[in-house]
Amino acid sequence: LATLFGTSDFLSQFLIGHPELLDTLLRSDTMTPVKSKDELRVGLMSVLDAAEGYEEVLDAIRRFRNIELIRIGINDIAEEIGLMEVCGQMTSLAELSIDVALRMSEKEVMSRYGAPFLSDGSEAAISVIGMGKLGGGEMNYSSDLDLIFIYSGAGETKGPKVISNQEYFAKVAQRVISFLTLQTREGYLYKVDTRLRPSGSAGALVSSLDSFRRYHEESARLWERQALIKARVVSGNEDLGGKVMGDVASIVYGRGVDEEGRKEMMRLRERMEKELAKERAEIYNVKTGRGGIVDIEFTVQFLQLKYGKGPAGLKRAKTLDALQSLLEAGLIPSEDGLALKDAYIFLMKAENRLRVLHNISTDQMELEAAKLAKLAKRLGYHGDEPGRQFLRDYHGHTEKVREIYNRIVVRDH
Protein backbone atom coordinates (compact mmCIF):
# COMPACT_ATOMS: atom_id res chain seq x y z
CA LEU A 1 0.00 0.00 0.00
CA ALA A 2 2.86 2.36 0.84
CA THR A 3 4.51 1.60 -2.50
CA LEU A 4 1.26 2.17 -4.35
CA PHE A 5 0.53 5.51 -2.65
CA GLY A 6 4.14 6.59 -3.07
CA THR A 7 4.23 5.73 -6.75
CA SER A 8 0.89 6.25 -8.50
CA ASP A 9 -1.40 9.26 -8.21
CA PHE A 10 -3.84 7.46 -10.50
CA LEU A 11 -4.16 4.33 -8.35
CA SER A 12 -4.01 6.33 -5.11
CA GLN A 13 -6.96 8.48 -6.15
CA PHE A 14 -8.73 5.38 -7.40
CA LEU A 15 -8.39 3.69 -4.00
CA ILE A 16 -9.39 6.84 -2.13
CA GLY A 17 -12.54 6.90 -4.23
CA HIS A 18 -13.13 3.18 -3.63
CA PRO A 19 -11.80 2.45 -0.10
CA GLU A 20 -13.64 -0.87 -0.01
CA LEU A 21 -11.08 -2.10 -2.56
CA LEU A 22 -8.31 -2.04 0.05
CA ASP A 23 -9.22 -5.66 0.74
CA THR A 24 -8.11 -6.38 -2.80
CA LEU A 25 -4.50 -5.95 -1.68
CA LEU A 26 -4.89 -9.02 0.54
CA ARG A 27 -6.42 -11.28 -2.10
CA SER A 28 -4.20 -14.07 -3.39
CA ASP A 29 -5.24 -13.54 -7.00
CA THR A 30 -4.04 -9.93 -6.80
CA MET A 31 -0.56 -11.38 -7.15
CA THR A 32 -1.48 -12.98 -10.49
CA PRO A 33 0.18 -10.68 -13.05
CA VAL A 34 -1.67 -11.95 -16.12
CA LYS A 35 -5.05 -13.64 -16.44
CA SER A 36 -6.29 -15.14 -19.68
CA LYS A 37 -9.52 -13.82 -21.13
CA ASP A 38 -11.21 -17.11 -20.22
CA GLU A 39 -10.06 -16.76 -16.61
CA LEU A 40 -11.41 -13.23 -16.51
CA ARG A 41 -14.68 -14.40 -18.07
CA VAL A 42 -15.14 -17.14 -15.45
CA GLY A 43 -14.50 -14.65 -12.65
CA LEU A 44 -16.91 -12.11 -14.12
CA MET A 45 -19.68 -14.65 -14.69
CA SER A 46 -19.34 -15.84 -11.09
CA VAL A 47 -19.81 -12.28 -9.86
CA LEU A 48 -22.75 -11.59 -12.17
CA ASP A 49 -24.51 -14.86 -11.28
CA ALA A 50 -24.73 -13.65 -7.67
CA ALA A 51 -26.26 -10.31 -8.68
CA GLU A 52 -30.03 -9.83 -8.65
CA GLY A 53 -31.62 -7.25 -10.89
CA TYR A 54 -30.21 -4.74 -13.37
CA GLU A 55 -28.82 -2.29 -10.79
CA GLU A 56 -26.91 -5.04 -8.97
CA VAL A 57 -25.46 -6.23 -12.27
CA LEU A 58 -24.30 -2.69 -13.07
CA ASP A 59 -22.57 -2.43 -9.69
CA ALA A 60 -21.16 -5.97 -9.82
CA ILE A 61 -19.44 -5.58 -13.19
CA ARG A 62 -18.02 -2.20 -12.18
CA ARG A 63 -16.70 -3.65 -8.92
CA PHE A 64 -15.15 -6.56 -10.84
CA ARG A 65 -13.40 -4.20 -13.28
CA ASN A 66 -12.18 -2.00 -10.43
CA ILE A 67 -10.64 -4.98 -8.64
CA GLU A 68 -8.95 -6.15 -11.83
CA LEU A 69 -7.72 -2.63 -12.51
CA ILE A 70 -6.03 -2.58 -9.09
CA ARG A 71 -4.52 -6.02 -9.78
CA ILE A 72 -3.08 -4.88 -13.10
CA GLY A 73 -1.83 -1.61 -11.65
CA ILE A 74 -0.08 -3.21 -8.68
CA ASN A 75 1.67 -5.73 -10.89
CA ASP A 76 2.54 -2.97 -13.36
CA ILE A 77 4.15 -0.86 -10.62
CA ALA A 78 6.02 -3.93 -9.36
CA GLU A 79 7.17 -4.58 -12.94
CA GLU A 80 5.70 -8.07 -12.85
CA ILE A 81 3.83 -7.40 -16.07
CA GLY A 82 5.04 -5.96 -19.38
CA LEU A 83 3.62 -3.11 -21.45
CA MET A 84 1.84 -5.25 -24.04
CA GLU A 85 0.48 -7.51 -21.30
CA VAL A 86 -1.03 -4.46 -19.60
CA CYS A 87 -2.62 -3.47 -22.91
CA GLY A 88 -3.90 -7.02 -23.43
CA GLN A 89 -5.42 -7.24 -19.95
CA MET A 90 -7.14 -3.87 -20.35
CA THR A 91 -8.47 -4.85 -23.76
CA SER A 92 -9.84 -8.18 -22.48
CA LEU A 93 -11.67 -6.40 -19.64
CA ALA A 94 -13.24 -4.00 -22.14
CA GLU A 95 -14.33 -6.78 -24.50
CA LEU A 96 -15.94 -8.76 -21.67
CA SER A 97 -17.77 -5.63 -20.49
CA ILE A 98 -19.11 -5.04 -24.01
CA ASP A 99 -20.19 -8.69 -24.25
CA VAL A 100 -22.24 -8.42 -21.05
CA ALA A 101 -23.67 -5.05 -22.06
CA LEU A 102 -24.74 -6.36 -25.47
CA ARG A 103 -26.25 -9.57 -24.12
CA MET A 104 -28.32 -7.76 -21.51
CA SER A 105 -29.37 -5.01 -23.93
CA GLU A 106 -30.55 -7.49 -26.58
CA LYS A 107 -32.47 -9.46 -23.97
CA GLU A 108 -34.27 -6.35 -22.73
CA VAL A 109 -35.16 -4.98 -26.16
CA MET A 110 -36.27 -8.40 -27.42
CA SER A 111 -38.62 -8.81 -24.46
CA ARG A 112 -40.46 -5.66 -25.58
CA TYR A 113 -40.43 -5.96 -29.34
CA GLY A 114 -39.69 -9.58 -30.16
CA ALA A 115 -36.80 -10.86 -32.29
CA PRO A 116 -35.73 -8.93 -35.41
CA PHE A 117 -35.97 -10.68 -38.78
CA LEU A 118 -34.74 -10.01 -42.30
CA SER A 119 -37.04 -9.98 -45.32
CA ASP A 120 -35.97 -13.54 -46.20
CA GLY A 121 -37.21 -14.81 -42.84
CA SER A 122 -33.82 -15.29 -41.18
CA GLU A 123 -33.08 -13.63 -37.85
CA ALA A 124 -31.19 -10.34 -37.95
CA ALA A 125 -28.07 -9.76 -35.86
CA ILE A 126 -25.72 -7.05 -34.65
CA SER A 127 -21.93 -6.82 -34.52
CA VAL A 128 -19.90 -4.39 -32.42
CA ILE A 129 -16.70 -3.12 -34.04
CA GLY A 130 -13.89 -1.79 -31.88
CA MET A 131 -11.78 1.04 -33.27
CA GLY A 132 -8.71 2.91 -32.06
CA LYS A 133 -6.88 1.46 -29.07
CA LEU A 134 -9.66 -1.08 -28.47
CA GLY A 135 -9.50 -2.34 -32.05
CA GLY A 136 -5.71 -2.46 -31.92
CA GLY A 137 -5.67 -4.28 -28.58
CA GLU A 138 -3.60 -1.40 -27.18
CA MET A 139 -5.80 -0.04 -24.39
CA ASN A 140 -4.31 1.68 -21.36
CA TYR A 141 -5.64 2.79 -17.98
CA SER A 142 -7.91 5.56 -19.20
CA SER A 143 -8.72 4.61 -22.79
CA ASP A 144 -12.19 5.35 -24.12
CA LEU A 145 -14.09 2.80 -26.20
CA ASP A 146 -14.39 3.75 -29.88
CA LEU A 147 -17.35 1.68 -31.15
CA ILE A 148 -19.29 1.17 -34.37
CA PHE A 149 -22.56 -0.81 -34.38
CA ILE A 150 -23.51 -2.71 -37.56
CA TYR A 151 -26.61 -4.85 -38.07
CA SER A 152 -27.33 -7.36 -40.80
CA GLY A 153 -30.08 -5.61 -42.77
CA ALA A 154 -33.59 -4.26 -43.22
CA GLY A 155 -36.64 -5.98 -41.78
CA GLU A 156 -38.79 -5.81 -38.68
CA THR A 157 -39.50 -7.48 -35.37
CA LYS A 158 -42.08 -10.13 -34.63
CA GLY A 159 -43.37 -9.37 -31.19
CA PRO A 160 -45.85 -7.42 -29.07
CA LYS A 161 -44.92 -4.18 -30.82
CA VAL A 162 -43.49 -4.26 -34.34
CA ILE A 163 -40.59 -1.90 -35.11
CA SER A 164 -38.02 -1.79 -37.91
CA ASN A 165 -34.65 -3.45 -37.51
CA GLN A 166 -33.07 0.03 -37.65
CA GLU A 167 -35.12 1.11 -34.61
CA TYR A 168 -34.56 -2.20 -32.84
CA PHE A 169 -30.79 -2.18 -33.08
CA ALA A 170 -30.62 1.56 -32.32
CA LYS A 171 -32.36 0.78 -29.03
CA VAL A 172 -29.90 -2.06 -28.40
CA ALA A 173 -26.90 0.20 -29.08
CA GLN A 174 -28.29 2.98 -26.88
CA ARG A 175 -28.67 0.52 -24.01
CA VAL A 176 -25.14 -0.82 -24.53
CA ILE A 177 -23.76 2.71 -24.28
CA SER A 178 -25.87 3.44 -21.19
CA PHE A 179 -24.72 0.19 -19.55
CA LEU A 180 -21.06 1.12 -20.07
CA THR A 181 -21.22 4.84 -19.24
CA LEU A 182 -23.83 5.08 -16.45
CA GLN A 183 -22.39 6.40 -13.18
CA THR A 184 -23.35 4.24 -10.19
CA ARG A 185 -21.99 4.11 -6.65
CA GLU A 186 -19.21 1.89 -8.09
CA GLY A 187 -18.37 4.45 -10.78
CA TYR A 188 -18.68 3.96 -14.55
CA LEU A 189 -17.12 1.35 -16.80
CA TYR A 190 -15.94 3.34 -19.82
CA LYS A 191 -16.50 6.49 -21.78
CA VAL A 192 -17.82 5.60 -25.23
CA ASP A 193 -17.14 7.42 -28.49
CA THR A 194 -19.20 6.51 -31.58
CA ARG A 195 -18.07 9.35 -33.85
CA LEU A 196 -16.12 7.01 -36.16
CA ARG A 197 -19.40 5.61 -37.52
CA PRO A 198 -20.50 6.53 -41.06
CA SER A 199 -21.17 10.30 -41.28
CA GLY A 200 -19.89 10.74 -37.73
CA SER A 201 -22.12 12.44 -35.16
CA ALA A 202 -24.57 13.39 -37.92
CA GLY A 203 -25.09 9.75 -38.95
CA ALA A 204 -27.37 7.06 -37.54
CA LEU A 205 -26.08 5.35 -34.39
CA VAL A 206 -26.34 1.95 -36.10
CA SER A 207 -25.71 1.07 -39.75
CA SER A 208 -26.88 -1.86 -41.81
CA LEU A 209 -24.10 -3.86 -43.45
CA ASP A 210 -25.18 -2.61 -46.88
CA SER A 211 -25.29 1.06 -45.85
CA PHE A 212 -21.91 0.75 -44.10
CA ARG A 213 -20.36 -0.71 -47.25
CA ARG A 214 -22.05 1.83 -49.54
CA TYR A 215 -20.97 4.81 -47.43
CA HIS A 216 -17.33 3.78 -47.45
CA GLU A 217 -17.35 3.00 -51.16
CA GLU A 218 -19.03 6.27 -52.16
CA SER A 219 -18.60 8.96 -49.52
CA ALA A 220 -15.87 8.18 -46.99
CA ARG A 221 -12.74 10.29 -46.83
CA LEU A 222 -9.23 8.87 -46.64
CA TRP A 223 -8.91 9.40 -42.89
CA GLU A 224 -11.99 7.20 -42.41
CA ARG A 225 -10.35 4.42 -44.42
CA GLN A 226 -7.22 4.93 -42.38
CA ALA A 227 -9.20 4.66 -39.12
CA LEU A 228 -10.65 1.34 -40.29
CA ILE A 229 -7.15 -0.18 -40.26
CA LYS A 230 -7.72 -0.57 -36.50
CA ALA A 231 -11.24 -2.02 -36.90
CA ARG A 232 -11.87 -5.34 -35.19
CA VAL A 233 -14.98 -7.28 -34.17
CA VAL A 234 -15.17 -7.20 -30.38
CA SER A 235 -18.67 -8.56 -29.72
CA GLY A 236 -21.86 -9.75 -31.36
CA ASN A 237 -22.74 -12.22 -34.09
CA GLU A 238 -19.65 -14.00 -35.46
CA ASP A 239 -21.02 -14.63 -38.98
CA LEU A 240 -22.01 -11.00 -39.40
CA GLY A 241 -18.68 -9.93 -37.91
CA GLY A 242 -16.84 -11.98 -40.53
CA LYS A 243 -18.78 -10.25 -43.32
CA VAL A 244 -18.05 -6.85 -41.82
CA MET A 245 -14.33 -7.52 -41.65
CA GLY A 246 -14.36 -8.81 -45.23
CA ASP A 247 -15.88 -5.50 -46.32
CA VAL A 248 -13.42 -3.56 -44.16
CA ALA A 249 -10.46 -5.28 -45.83
CA SER A 250 -11.84 -4.39 -49.26
CA ILE A 251 -12.58 -0.80 -48.24
CA VAL A 252 -9.22 -0.16 -46.59
CA TYR A 253 -6.84 -1.99 -48.90
CA GLY A 254 -8.68 -2.26 -52.22
CA ARG A 255 -7.69 1.12 -53.67
CA GLY A 256 -4.22 1.77 -52.34
CA VAL A 257 -3.22 5.39 -51.73
CA ASP A 258 -2.30 7.90 -54.44
CA GLU A 259 -0.31 11.14 -54.36
CA GLU A 260 -3.31 13.19 -53.26
CA GLY A 261 -3.97 10.67 -50.49
CA ARG A 262 -0.39 11.04 -49.28
CA LYS A 263 -0.79 14.81 -49.12
CA GLU A 264 -4.11 14.45 -47.30
CA MET A 265 -2.44 12.29 -44.65
CA MET A 266 0.30 14.91 -44.28
CA ARG A 267 -2.27 17.70 -43.81
CA LEU A 268 -4.15 15.69 -41.20
CA ARG A 269 -0.96 14.93 -39.30
CA GLU A 270 0.09 18.59 -39.33
CA ARG A 271 -3.33 19.61 -38.05
CA MET A 272 -3.20 17.05 -35.21
CA GLU A 273 0.22 18.28 -34.16
CA LYS A 274 -0.93 21.89 -34.15
CA GLU A 275 -4.39 21.52 -32.60
CA LEU A 276 -4.03 18.48 -30.31
CA ALA A 277 -0.40 18.23 -29.23
CA LYS A 278 -0.06 21.88 -28.20
CA GLU A 279 3.62 21.38 -27.44
CA ARG A 280 5.72 24.19 -26.05
CA ALA A 281 9.07 24.57 -24.32
CA GLU A 282 7.90 23.10 -21.00
CA ILE A 283 5.41 20.49 -22.28
CA TYR A 284 5.80 17.64 -24.78
CA ASN A 285 3.08 15.31 -26.04
CA VAL A 286 4.14 11.68 -26.35
CA LYS A 287 1.21 10.79 -28.60
CA THR A 288 0.43 13.61 -31.01
CA GLY A 289 3.63 15.67 -30.62
CA ARG A 290 6.61 15.84 -32.95
CA GLY A 291 8.02 12.34 -33.51
CA GLY A 292 5.40 10.87 -31.18
CA ILE A 293 3.25 7.74 -31.34
CA VAL A 294 1.04 9.18 -34.10
CA ASP A 295 4.06 9.77 -36.36
CA ILE A 296 4.83 6.06 -36.09
CA GLU A 297 1.21 5.06 -36.66
CA PHE A 298 0.88 7.32 -39.71
CA THR A 299 4.11 5.97 -41.21
CA VAL A 300 3.01 2.36 -40.72
CA GLN A 301 -0.55 3.03 -41.88
CA PHE A 302 0.63 4.86 -44.99
CA LEU A 303 2.67 1.80 -45.95
CA GLN A 304 -0.27 -0.48 -45.12
CA LEU A 305 -2.55 1.54 -47.40
CA LYS A 306 0.09 1.67 -50.12
CA TYR A 307 1.01 -2.03 -50.15
CA GLY A 308 -1.95 -3.68 -48.41
CA LYS A 309 -3.38 -5.14 -51.63
CA GLY A 310 -0.39 -7.45 -51.58
CA PRO A 311 0.89 -9.45 -48.56
CA ALA A 312 -1.99 -10.62 -46.37
CA GLY A 313 0.08 -10.01 -43.24
CA LEU A 314 -0.10 -6.25 -43.76
CA LYS A 315 -3.77 -6.23 -42.82
CA ARG A 316 -3.04 -5.95 -39.10
CA ALA A 317 -4.83 -3.78 -36.51
CA LYS A 318 -1.89 -3.74 -34.08
CA THR A 319 0.84 -1.29 -35.01
CA LEU A 320 3.71 -3.55 -33.91
CA ASP A 321 2.26 -6.53 -35.81
CA ALA A 322 1.88 -4.45 -38.98
CA LEU A 323 5.40 -3.10 -38.59
CA GLN A 324 6.75 -6.64 -38.27
CA SER A 325 4.89 -7.67 -41.43
CA LEU A 326 6.34 -4.70 -43.31
CA LEU A 327 9.84 -5.74 -42.20
CA GLU A 328 9.30 -9.36 -43.22
CA ALA A 329 7.96 -8.29 -46.62
CA GLY A 330 10.94 -5.99 -47.19
CA LEU A 331 8.65 -2.97 -47.60
CA ILE A 332 10.53 -0.84 -45.10
CA PRO A 333 14.32 -0.68 -44.59
CA SER A 334 15.39 -2.88 -41.71
CA GLU A 335 17.08 -0.01 -39.90
CA ASP A 336 13.94 2.14 -40.14
CA GLY A 337 11.61 -0.67 -39.07
CA LEU A 338 13.66 -1.55 -36.00
CA ALA A 339 14.03 2.12 -35.04
CA LEU A 340 10.25 2.63 -35.26
CA LYS A 341 9.65 -0.52 -33.22
CA ASP A 342 12.03 0.59 -30.46
CA ALA A 343 10.57 4.09 -30.43
CA TYR A 344 6.99 2.80 -30.34
CA ILE A 345 7.67 0.61 -27.29
CA PHE A 346 9.60 3.45 -25.59
CA LEU A 347 6.82 6.00 -26.18
CA MET A 348 4.00 3.60 -25.28
CA LYS A 349 5.77 2.83 -22.00
CA ALA A 350 6.12 6.55 -21.32
CA GLU A 351 2.42 7.11 -22.09
CA ASN A 352 1.43 4.21 -19.85
CA ARG A 353 3.61 5.45 -16.98
CA LEU A 354 2.29 9.00 -17.35
CA ARG A 355 -1.23 7.73 -16.82
CA VAL A 356 -0.50 5.36 -13.94
CA LEU A 357 1.83 7.78 -12.13
CA HIS A 358 -0.33 10.87 -12.53
CA ASN A 359 -4.11 10.98 -12.37
CA ILE A 360 -4.45 12.28 -15.93
CA SER A 361 -6.06 11.16 -19.16
CA THR A 362 -3.92 13.27 -21.49
CA ASP A 363 -0.61 12.47 -23.16
CA GLN A 364 1.10 15.71 -22.21
CA MET A 365 4.42 15.35 -20.41
CA GLU A 366 5.50 18.24 -18.21
CA LEU A 367 9.23 18.88 -18.22
CA GLU A 368 9.25 20.21 -14.64
CA ALA A 369 12.29 18.57 -13.02
CA ALA A 370 10.61 16.70 -10.15
CA LYS A 371 7.84 15.24 -12.31
CA LEU A 372 10.28 14.29 -15.05
CA ALA A 373 12.59 12.58 -12.54
CA LYS A 374 9.69 10.58 -11.09
CA LEU A 375 8.62 9.44 -14.54
CA ALA A 376 12.18 8.55 -15.49
CA LYS A 377 12.72 6.46 -12.36
CA ARG A 378 9.52 4.48 -13.04
CA LEU A 379 10.87 3.84 -16.55
CA GLY A 380 14.05 2.33 -15.14
CA TYR A 381 16.43 5.29 -15.16
CA HIS A 382 18.74 5.54 -12.12
CA GLY A 383 21.76 7.45 -10.92
CA ASP A 384 22.23 11.19 -11.16
CA GLU A 385 19.70 13.22 -13.11
CA PRO A 386 17.44 10.38 -14.35
CA GLY A 387 15.12 12.96 -15.89
CA ARG A 388 17.90 14.30 -18.09
CA GLN A 389 18.86 10.75 -19.15
CA PHE A 390 15.25 10.01 -20.10
CA LEU A 391 14.88 13.28 -21.98
CA ARG A 392 18.05 12.54 -23.96
CA ASP A 393 16.62 9.18 -25.06
CA TYR A 394 13.20 10.73 -25.72
CA HIS A 395 14.74 13.28 -28.07
CA GLY A 396 16.79 10.57 -29.75
CA HIS A 397 13.71 8.45 -30.47
CA THR A 398 11.39 11.28 -31.52
CA GLU A 399 13.94 12.93 -33.82
CA LYS A 400 14.60 9.59 -35.53
CA VAL A 401 10.86 8.91 -35.84
CA ARG A 402 10.24 12.31 -37.41
CA GLU A 403 13.13 11.82 -39.82
CA ILE A 404 11.69 8.45 -40.95
CA TYR A 405 8.16 9.90 -41.20
CA ASN A 406 9.45 12.77 -43.33
CA ARG A 407 11.38 10.42 -45.59
CA ILE A 408 8.60 7.85 -46.08
CA VAL A 409 5.40 9.90 -45.94
CA VAL A 410 6.25 13.53 -46.57
CA ARG A 411 8.73 12.98 -49.41
CA ASP A 412 7.63 9.54 -50.64
CA HIS A 413 6.54 9.65 -54.31
Side-chain angles (χ1 to χ4, degrees):
L1 183 61
T3 301
L4 186 149
F5 272 81
T7 304
S8 171
D9 291 345
F10 172 81
L11 292 174
S12 299
Q13 292 299 320
F14 193 81
L15 274 177
I16 290 169
H18 300 83
E20 71 282 358
L21 294 181
L22 285 170
D23 287 346
T24 302
L25 302 179
L26 302 177
R27 290 170 47 147
S28 60
D29 66 342
T30 298
M31 302 312 296
T32 304
V34 178
K35 294 182 181 179
S36 69
K37 189 174 180 180
D38 284 340
E39 288 175 316
L40 290 169
R41 181 183 288 107
V42 169
L44 177 57
M45 291 305 107
S46 175
V47 167
L48 295 181
D49 286 345
E52 297 181 3
Y54 187 72
E55 287 75 16
E56 282 196 20
V57 168
L58 288 178
D59 280 337
I61 191 170
R62 282 156 174 74
R63 193 178 309 116
F64 176 83
R65 177 183 176 270
N66 292 342
I67 289 171
E68 293 301 321
L69 194 65
I70 292 293
R71 174 186 63 81
I72 296 166
I74 288 173
N75 283 284
D76 189 6
I77 288 173
E79 299 183 354
E80 296 291 334
I81 182 173
L83 169 66
M84 300 317 296
E85 290 172 321
V86 170
C87 295
Q89 295 282 277
M90 293 295 184
T91 301
S92 291
L93 281 174
E95 290 172 354
L96 290 171
S97 298
I98 296 167
D99 279 341
V100 172
L102 181 60
R103 188 175 70 248
M104 293 197 66
S105 299
E106 286 194 286
K107 182 178 179 181
E108 181 186 352
V109 177
M110 191 177 294
S111 69
R112 296 187 181 188
Y113 302 99
F117 287 87
L118 301 173
S119 55
D120 64 5
S122 60
E123 193 165 341
I126 189 170
S127 185
V128 184
I129 310 302
M131 305 285 285
K133 286 186 178 294
L134 172 63
E138 300 158 334
M139 291 190 66
N140 57 38
Y141 289 94
S142 52
S143 295
D144 297 344
L145 300 184
D146 293 300
L147 302 178
I148 296 176
F149 297 92
I150 300 177
Y151 66 98
S152 43
E156 61 184 22
T157 62
K158 294 182 180 178
K161 183 179 179 182
V162 175
I163 59 174
S164 70
N165 287 351
Q166 172 78 28
E167 293 175 276
Y168 178 92
F169 288 112
K171 292 180 183 296
V172 170
Q174 288 163 356
R175 281 164 173 76
V176 168
I177 294 170
S178 177
F179 185 99
L180 295 168
T181 60
L182 190 65
Q183 184 85 22
T184 77
R185 61 184 179 182
E186 300 287 346
Y188 67 94
L189 283 172
Y190 298 97
K191 294 178 182 178
V192 175
D193 191 337
T194 61
R195 290 175 295 177
L196 290 176
R197 67 186 187 267
S199 298
S201 299
L205 180 58
V206 296
S207 301
S208 69
L209 181 59
D210 285 344
S211 64
F212 174 80
R213 182 191 304 118
R214 187 165 55 252
Y215 172 83
H216 281 284
E217 287 176 347
E218 299 175 359
S219 307
R221 289 162 288 180
L222 178 63
W223 71 262
E224 292 174 285
R225 281 178 58 205
Q226 185 182 349
L228 283 176
I229 290 174
K230 295 260 185 198
R232 182 172 60 88
V233 178
V234 294
S235 188
N237 185 273
E238 291 185 5
D239 289 341
L240 174 59
K243 293 177 182 177
V244 172
M245 293 313 298
D247 284 347
V248 165
S250 176
I251 291 164
V252 173
Y253 301 107
R255 285 177 282 172
V257 60
D258 57 15
E259 178 64 11
E260 183 54 40
R262 182 184 68 82
K263 292 179 180 178
E264 188 177 335
M265 289 184 72
M266 286 169 47
R267 289 192 292 268
L268 176 59
R269 178 65 188 107
E270 289 171 2
R271 185 176 171 187
M272 291 174 72
E273 188 171 345
K274 180 180 179 181
E275 298 178 9
L276 299 180
K278 298 179 180 177
E279 290 190 307
R280 48 190 187 273
E282 68 277 12
I283 291 180
Y284 291 167
N285 192 303
V286 300
K287 183 177 181 180
T288 54
R290 175 185 174 85
I293 293 169
V294 172
D295 266 6
I296 301 172
E297 291 179 336
F298 268 55
T299 302
V300 172
Q301 289 166 4
F302 172 74
L303 293 173
Q304 285 181 277
L305 289 170
K306 185 174 182 179
Y307 299 113
K309 293 172 71 173
L314 297 186
K315 300 176 179 65
R316 301 285 188 88
K318 287 187 178 182
T319 301
L320 286 178
D321 289 349
L323 189 51
Q324 183 61 36
S325 293
L326 288 167
L327 277 166
E328 292 172 357
L331 296 173
I332 186 171
S334 178
E335 181 183 346
D336 289 349
L338 294 175
L340 291 179
K341 181 178 179 181
D342 289 344
Y344 187 78
I345 293 171
F346 177 90
L347 293 169
M348 286 284 283
K349 282 182 177 178
E351 180 188 46
N352 177 62
R353 285 293 184 235
L354 275 172
R355 292 173 184 250
V356 78
L357 289 177
H358 309 301
N359 193 23
I360 60 173
S361 58
T362 72
D363 298 289
Q364 289 188 326
M365 181 175 69
E366 296 182 32
L367 303 188
E368 189 268 319
K371 289 185 177 180
L372 198 61
K374 185 177 181 180
L375 173 62
K377 287 176 182 177
R378 296 313 305 166
L379 286 166
Y381 290 86
H382 303 291
D384 295 333
E385 299 185 316
R388 181 172 292 184
Q389 295 176 48
F390 163 73
L391 211 53
R392 179 197 62 214
D393 290 347
Y394 180 87
H395 284 142
H397 282 298
T398 54
E399 288 303 314
K400 182 63 176 176
V401 166
R402 178 50 63 96
E403 186 269 322
I404 295 171
Y405 169 79
N406 281 338
R407 181 155 35 83
I408 291 178
V409 181
V410 177
R411 299 189 179 91
D412 186 282
H413 295 284

